[in-house]
């Protein structure tokens, strides 16, 4: 994620914390008086170590500047929620944390219920105020008067990974202490089942203490801007820890594990949370060890770690497979996928020229040369809203991509001749340096050059912050990551939306998204998504190329580890990891 301008308010939060003390010389934060954890009967006295490539930074993984997979790897089993990302990247209800169900349709109403024994690891019940905080942080209200330094979007009191994503939802209806709450929608909302998910439910009692706001529920109800700014400042920066300085007193657990220690630049260790009300974790300790990507395979072979998801290269794959039976290795599709985006104000603004480029784009060769060496089952991606490992992909793969399954240089050249555009210069932008994309552009240049295009490698190290946002490209190579939400892609393909980087606009597509947002029937949602994929192929808004490859390797004695293509990654089920004798 691009950095956001939230760090600047850290000083203000520090001053606010000082103001909360009321002149008391003592530490006014909650005291962490948790009992030392002891293994449950079914918790084995073993330690399993996962190699992570980035340092943990924040307990709050829901803010725009801190949200990243390295934090998710630590927090997956520390901060549970009403659902989690399953092994196919789908949203799966977390029945240990609580339950939710749609209870009405006019208006659409959803009832959420926390588990009866759900408590934070400091003993505070998980209840209404925690739900209200989650809603307030994701509703996109209370503007600050500031703008984002990169996107120029107006900032609000709460930094959020998906600002305003819950804009259709009402404030949770509940009173302080209630274990149940309801949320309603003025208009039917297709993604109702993806609210209150991973990383969104954080301890409101800690925020009240840190922001000097005694009653968060009342504050949110009144909605006074100054008060919400105070709450937002703490929410945005109160859980930013200096490396190695995890403060359990303000960062309690709501999952089977809690953070036991953090050695800066080395590792984070998780231990069982004695207040966890659900199934006890299988291993006494899970360690997330910081290992450079290029060293992870050898670290597994040496026994320094037992689980790795290394950057997939032919060299890494060979190193792992050469280790023999001691190592288990599997290849996978990730949830990110490469695509060629057309600038609708660039050299290929004409549909005919986009069709010509799509005809000469050597997608199969790109997959064969660059992806199959590390993922033998890789295939050309023919859809945008379903990936090859997901149910229903075959139907989506017939929405238009099949028309460009084979390279047709002659057909592309015929179009260029007809349009009198032989020699059209096409600048292909991407974030450089990137060896794979350099090779990708070289393959495109070789194929489309024969058709009559003049292909220019325009990769730059500033591509995401400059060329992409300024639309200074003809074709852009970058990746999208599919999510569990049905409508999130509207931000990419909707006219004038925040993630629409190529200027694409279609009244038909906008209309389909409007229908999709209000559609509650899952089968009808899939039909609308297929119609969207068809429309995007008809317009050639972009061309999907391949799904990114991934590797999972473990010590052969380790059991329960499962690849997960989502943001959560393999530690999504770390509470079930164990080891054979």
């Amino acid at each position: 994620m691009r950095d956001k301008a939230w760090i600047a308010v850290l000083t203000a939060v520090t001053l606010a914390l000082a103001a909360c003390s009321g002149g008391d010389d003592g530490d006014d934060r909650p005291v962490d008086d948790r009992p030392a954890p002891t293994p449950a009967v079914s918790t084995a006295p073993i330690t399993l170590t996962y190699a992570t490539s980035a340092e943990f930074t924040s307990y709050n993984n829901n803010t725009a500047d801190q949200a990243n997979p390295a934090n998710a790897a630590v927090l997956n089993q520390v901060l549970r929620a009403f659902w989690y990302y399953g092994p196919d990247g789908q949203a799966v209800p977390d029945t240990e944390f609580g339950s939710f169900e749609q209870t009405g349709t006019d208006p659409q109403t959803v009832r959420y219920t926390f588990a009866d024994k759900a408590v934070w690891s400091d003993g505070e019940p998980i209840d209404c105020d925690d739900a209200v905080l989650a809603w307030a942080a994701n509703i996109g209200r209370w503007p600050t008067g500031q703008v984002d330094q990169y996107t120029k979007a107006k900032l609000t009191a709460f930094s959020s990974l998906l600002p305003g994503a819950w804009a259709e939802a009402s404030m949770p209806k509940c009173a302080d202490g209630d274990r149940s709450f309801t949320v309603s929608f003025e208009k039917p909302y297709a993604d109702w089942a993806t609210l209150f998910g991973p990383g969104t439910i954080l301890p409101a009692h800690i925020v009240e203490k840190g922001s000097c706001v005694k009653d968060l529920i009342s504050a949110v109800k009144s909605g006074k801007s100054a008060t919400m700014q105070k709450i937002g400042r703490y929410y945005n920066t109160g859980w930013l820890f200096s490396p190695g300085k995890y403060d359990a007193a303000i960062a309690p657990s709501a999952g089977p594990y809690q953070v036991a220690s953090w050695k800066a630049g080395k590792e984070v260790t998780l231990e069982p949370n004695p207040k966890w009300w659900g199934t006890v974790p299988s291993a006494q300790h899970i360690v997330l060890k910081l290992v450079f990507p290029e060293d992870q395979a050898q670290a597994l072979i040496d026994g320094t770690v037992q689980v790795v998801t290394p950057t997939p290269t032919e060299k890494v794959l060979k190193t792992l497979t050469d280790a023999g039976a001691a190592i288990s290795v599997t290849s996978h599709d990730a949830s990110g996928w490469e695509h060629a985006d057309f600038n609708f104000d660039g050299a290929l603004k004409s549909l005919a020229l986009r069709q010509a480029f799509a005809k000469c784009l050597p997608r199969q060769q790109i997959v064969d040369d660059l992806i199959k060496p590390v993922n033998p089952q890789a295939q050309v991606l023919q859809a945008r809203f379903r990936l090859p490992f997901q149910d229903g992909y075959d139907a989506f793969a017939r929405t238009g991509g099949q028309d460009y399954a084979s390279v047709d240089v002659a057909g592309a050249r015929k179009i260029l001749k007809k349009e009198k555009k032989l020699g059209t210069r096409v600048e292909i932008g991407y974030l450089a340096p990137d060896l794979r994309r350099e090779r990708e552009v070289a393959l495109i240049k070789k194929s489309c050059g024969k058709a009559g295009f003049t292909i220019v490698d325009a990769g730059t190290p500033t591509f995401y912050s400059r060329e992409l946002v300024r639309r200074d490209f003809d074709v852009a190579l970058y990746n999208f990551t599919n999510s569990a939400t049905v409508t999130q892609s509207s931000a990419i393909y909707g006219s004038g939306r925040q993630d629409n980087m190529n200027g694409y606009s279609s009244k038909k597509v906008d209309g389909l998204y409007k229908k999709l947002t209000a559609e509650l029937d899952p089968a009808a949602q899939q039909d609308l998504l297929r119609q969207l994929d068809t429309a995007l192929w008809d317009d050639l808004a972009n061309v999907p190329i391949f799904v990114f490859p991934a590797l999972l390797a473990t010590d052969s004695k380790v059991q329960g580890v499962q690849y997960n293509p989502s943001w959560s990654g393999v530690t999504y089920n770390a509470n079930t990891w164990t080891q054979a004798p």
Side-chain angles (χ1 to χ4, degrees):
M1 303 296 295
R2 299 187 194 103
D3 290 338
K4 303 289 183 181
W6 291 107
I7 305 304
V9 300
L10 183 56
T11 302
V13 172
T14 303
L15 293 174
L17 288 171
C20 288
S21 67
D24 190 341
D25 290 334
D27 187 349
D28 201 38
R29 293 178 304 186
V31 176
D32 182 23
D33 58 355
R34 296 169 300 169
T38 55
V41 174
S42 58
T43 298
I46 59 174
T47 296
L48 296 175
T49 303
Y50 168 63
T52 181
S53 59
E55 182 90 89
F56 175 75
T57 62
S58 177
Y59 173 78
N60 186 352
N61 202 33
N62 192 56
T63 61
D65 64 326
Q66 293 302 310
N68 67 74
N71 289 337
V74 172
L75 297 171
N76 281 330
Q77 296 302 324
V78 173
L79 292 174
R80 296 271 283 265
F82 280 101
W83 60 271
Y84 61 91
Y85 288 104
D88 287 337
Q90 77 279 30
V92 179
D94 189 337
T95 55
E96 287 192 315
F97 188 84
S99 62
F100 62 98
E101 62 176 335
Q102 184 171 274
T103 57
T105 56
D106 188 19
Q108 184 186 8
T109 303
V110 182
R111 174 172 291 278
Y112 296 81
T113 304
F114 293 108
D116 289 341
K117 297 181 180 180
V119 294
W120 296 99
S121 55
D122 60 9
E124 182 76 15
I126 302 175
D127 53 29
C128 175
D129 57 354
D130 302 306
V132 171
L133 174 62
W135 176 84
N138 292 280
I139 197 67
R141 294 184 185 173
W142 306 292
T144 64
Q146 298 175 314
V147 296
D148 180 85
Q149 60 179 315
Y150 296 107
T151 66
K152 305 306 178 185
K154 295 180 180 179
L155 297 179
T156 56
F158 294 85
S159 172
S160 175
L161 175 60
L162 296 171
W166 298 11
E168 303 295 331
S170 70
M171 179 180 168
K173 295 179 181 178
C174 55
D176 192 19
D178 286 353
R179 291 285 193 176
S180 244
F181 63 94
T182 58
V183 170
S184 60
F185 305 85
E186 289 187 10
K187 297 180 292 185
Y189 183 56
D191 282 319
W192 65 270
T194 60
L195 274 60
F196 300 99
T200 63
I201 299 177
L202 295 164
H205 65 289
I206 300 295
V207 174
E208 288 176 333
K209 189 85 169 181
S211 65
C212 306
V213 175
K214 293 182 179 180
D215 187 343
L216 185 140
I217 296 174
S218 294
V220 174
K221 280 183 178 178
S222 62
K224 292 181 180 178
S225 180
T227 303
M228 297 312 297
Q229 304 291 341
K230 289 174 64 178
I231 296 172
R233 281 194 292 271
Y234 186 87
Y235 180 91
N236 298 337
T237 63
W239 287 302
L240 289 174
F241 299 131
S242 299
K245 302 295 184 180
Y246 190 91
D247 188 349
I250 63 170
S253 170
Y257 283 111
Q258 61 189 13
V259 174
S261 65
W262 176 12
K263 297 178 181 178
K266 294 183 179 180
E267 62 190 32
V268 175
T269 299
L270 305 180
E271 64 185 4
N273 168 17
K275 296 287 188 178
W276 172 243
W277 58 91
T279 305
V280 296
S282 298
Q284 177 66 10
H285 291 108
I286 298 292
V287 177
L288 296 100
K289 192 175 189 66
L290 195 59
V291 182
F292 290 120
E294 61 269 26
D295 298 330
Q296 290 183 5
Q298 194 59 49
L300 176 63
I301 294 169
D302 293 343
T304 305
V305 299
Q306 287 78 50
V307 182
V308 298
T309 50
T311 301
T313 66
E314 293 177 64
K315 181 180 178 181
V316 167
L317 183 58
K318 185 177 188 304
T319 298
L320 291 170
T321 53
D322 285 351
I327 302 297
S328 173
V329 188
T330 51
S331 296
H332 302 271
D333 285 332
S335 58
W337 50 279
E338 182 85 328
H339 54 92
D341 254 28
F342 299 109
N343 182 351
F344 275 65
D345 291 320
L348 303 181
K349 60 184 177 182
S350 149
L351 175 60
L353 295 190
R354 295 197 299 277
Q355 290 172 334
F357 188 89
K359 284 178 177 292
C360 65
L361 185 63
R363 294 192 294 160
Q364 186 65 59
Q365 187 179 4
I366 290 171
V367 170
D368 291 344
D369 290 3
L370 306 183
I371 309 303
K372 279 193 175 182
V374 291
N375 185 7
Q377 66 262 35
Q379 56 185 283
V380 171
L381 181 62
Q382 303 287 22
R384 298 169 179 83
F385 308 119
R386 276 292 179 276
L387 301 179
F389 60 83
Q390 295 177 316
D391 291 341
Y393 172 74
D394 289 345
F396 278 82
R398 295 190 294 270
T399 56
Q402 71 277 6
D403 295 339
Y404 302 97
S406 300
V407 171
D408 182 6
V409 171
R413 190 173 183 84
K414 182 178 180 180
I415 292 173
L416 290 178
K417 279 187 175 181
K418 180 180 179 182
E419 299 294 319
K420 298 181 180 179
K421 290 291 184 178
L422 284 172
T424 295
R425 177 186 171 93
V426 177
E427 295 188 2
I428 301 181
Y430 60 91
L431 183 67
D434 186 321
L435 180 59
R436 180 194 292 160
R437 287 193 172 120
E438 287 178 21
R439 295 176 63 189
E440 199 174 341
V441 173
L443 291 172
I444 296 171
K445 183 175 183 177
K446 184 177 180 180
S447 178
C448 290
K450 295 176 182 176
F453 286 107
T454 300
I455 303 297
V456 178
D457 185 326
T460 66
T462 59
F463 182 70
Y464 288 147
S465 61
R466 295 187 61 182
E467 287 80 6
L468 183 61
V469 295
R470 296 176 181 180
R471 292 188 201 156
D472 187 12
F473 63 88
D474 296 313
V475 174
L477 296 177
Y478 62 111
N479 70 296
F480 289 147
T481 299
N482 284 7
S483 78
T485 60
V486 176
T487 62
Q488 187 175 337
S489 60
S490 64
I492 297 169
Y493 300 112
S495 299
R497 295 295 301 275
Q498 67 268 28
D499 293 327
N500 184 330
M501 298 299 185
N502 65 346
Y504 173 69
S505 180
S506 163
K507 290 183 179 179
K508 181 177 182 179
V509 166
D510 291 342
L512 287 170
Y513 273 118
K514 185 175 181 179
K515 291 180 180 178
L516 179 63
T517 300
E519 181 55 66
L520 302 181
D521 179 61
Q525 289 173 356
Q526 295 309 303
D527 180 63
L528 285 167
L529 285 170
R530 286 190 293 271
Q531 291 182 52
L532 278 164
D533 225 341
T534 300
L536 293 169
W537 276 115
D538 289 344
D539 293 343
L540 281 176
N542 58 18
V543 179
I545 303 176
F546 60 80
V547 177
F548 278 82
L551 288 176
L552 169 63
T554 67
D555 182 304
S556 293
K557 291 184 179 180
V558 175
Q559 300 173 344
V561 182
Q562 190 171 14
Y563 181 74
N564 188 309
S566 77
W567 174 269
S568 294
V570 294
T571 65
Y572 88 99
N573 72 339
N575 58 313
T576 67
W577 293 3
T578 188
Q579 191 172 32

